[in-house]
Amino acid sequence: MKISIITATYNSEKTLQDTLDSVLRQDCSDIEHILVDGASTDSTVDIIRNYASTTDRYTVRWVSEKDHGIYDAMNKGIAMATGDVIGVLNSDDYFTSDDVLSRLIKPFSDAAVEAVYGDIHFIHDKKPEKITRYYSSKMFSPFWLRFGFMPAHPSLYVRKAVYEWVGFYKLDYKIGADFEMVVRMFHVHKIKAHYINMDFVTMRNGGASTSGVQSHKLLLKEDVRACRENGIYSNTFLIALKYFYKIFEFRI
């Protein structure tokens, strides 16, 4: 069973090599790595080109052209993907261990399983050995969507067939299109998923949806909108309750 990994890049020269190296270390061989670059102006494309030309363990496909942001890039990657299962690995993140893909692909041997997800953790860029936050997806169920809680998006792997009837990421969301996609998948289309109690991905602090007061305000607004557009009752207060839960995720 082939896995397609989508990595969106834009001026990612400082972190991309860690991402690529973590893919190379995976003990799963049937991999298609799709890199969608937004016309970077640094050395990102050179790193991608070298990676594509020297990696012979699996298929590497890439494109570099202007786009409309990360969700547009993800949509391009989904359209390009030929794997049975699709996941996203951001260009400043990397797989936590070498057996992530081989572990997550096993539940898909059950034809009823349409998605698999696990846990992730965050680090300080200068202290990669120190965990600042651990995001467990263990408690997730569709009921918790009204509170803004979702499986950790970088750990979510979905059959390509699901995207064919659920559709693509909505580009009129600035930072909440991943949550809206999850609401569509789990609430509207009621996909069947399997949780693995495993740390899939190491993320650096400072992503678009986790940095700054304004980004949190926008995310609250977009999460409420995602629920309402997909038939879930929610409001700003209910969504904001997730920040209370997040207190217990942080590590001192």
Side-chain angles (χ1 to χ4, degrees):
M1 184 174 291
K2 184 192 292 186
I3 304 176
S4 292
I5 304 168
I6 298 168
T7 300
T9 65
Y10 181 71
N11 290 346
S12 306
E13 64 179 7
K14 293 181 179 180
T15 60
L16 180 59
Q17 194 61 56
D18 288 342
T19 306
L20 304 181
D21 289 344
S22 79
V23 178
L24 287 172
R25 289 193 298 267
Q26 292 301 300
D27 60 6
C28 178
S29 60
D30 203 357
I31 299 172
E32 174 184 63
H33 197 178
I34 299 171
L35 296 110
V36 184
D37 180 68
S40 291
T41 57
D42 63 1
S43 63
T44 296
V45 173
D46 293 331
I47 295 171
I48 294 173
R49 185 178 289 111
N50 180 67
Y51 174 66
S53 64
T54 59
T55 300
D56 55 8
R57 282 187 55 212
Y58 48 79
T59 303
V60 178
R61 303 172 64 196
W62 65 280
V63 63
S64 181
E65 60 189 19
K66 289 186 177 182
D67 56 38
H68 299 288
I70 189 169
Y71 297 118
D72 186 29
M74 290 180 185
N75 285 343
K76 289 181 181 180
I78 293 169
M80 293 171 63
T82 63
D84 305 286
V85 174
I86 299 175
V88 173
L89 183 65
N90 297 323
S91 62
D92 50 359
D93 305 335
Y94 51 88
F95 289 120
T96 302
S97 60
D98 300 345
D99 60 345
V100 171
L101 296 182
S102 61
R103 290 275 300 277
L104 71 83
I105 202 65
K106 289 179 180 178
F108 285 106
S109 61
D110 180 350
V113 173
E114 295 166 310
V116 167
Y117 58 88
D119 303 341
I120 62 172
H121 77 272
F122 293 79
I123 60 168
H124 280 303
D125 192 21
K126 294 182 180 179
K127 295 182 179 180
E129 73 285 351
K130 181 176 176 56
I131 298 176
T132 60
R133 178 186 166 204
Y134 191 91
Y135 185 145
S136 174
S137 303
K138 185 175 184 178
M139 68 168 285
F140 172 76
S141 74
F143 169 81
W144 293 106
L145 290 168
R146 72 186 67 250
F147 301 99
F149 188 76
M150 62 184 283
H153 186 247
S155 78
L156 181 62
Y157 282 72
V158 182
R159 290 188 189 272
K160 183 180 180 181
V162 171
Y163 286 106
E164 292 173 354
W165 42 275
V166 169
F168 293 110
Y169 290 93
K170 292 186 176 180
L171 301 186
D172 55 345
Y173 282 75
K174 299 297 183 183
I175 57 177
D178 49 353
F179 178 72
E180 192 281 331
M181 174 65 81
V182 168
V183 173
R184 232 185 311 152
M185 287 180 173
F186 285 87
H187 177 73
V188 178
H189 295 279
K190 304 185 187 307
I191 67 171
K192 303 297 187 298
H194 177 84
Y195 166 73
I196 298 178
N197 186 12
M198 180 182 184
D199 183 359
F200 282 19
V201 174
T202 301
M203 299 185 67
R204 292 177 171 87
N205 289 322
S209 64
T210 60
S211 58
V213 174
Q214 293 305 315
S215 68
H216 285 295
K217 287 182 178 179
L218 178 58
L219 188 59
L220 281 171
K221 181 179 178 180
E222 292 193 341
D223 283 359
V224 172
R225 175 189 163 195
C227 287
R228 291 177 175 175
E229 287 183 347
N230 288 286
I232 297 176
Y233 173 78
S234 189
N235 54 47
T236 302
F237 174 75
L238 291 178
I239 296 291
L241 289 175
K242 69 180 178 181
Y243 291 106
F244 175 76
Y245 175 82
K246 285 184 178 182
I247 293 173
F248 300 97
E249 297 176 347
F250 286 92
R251 307 290 176 86
I252 299 176

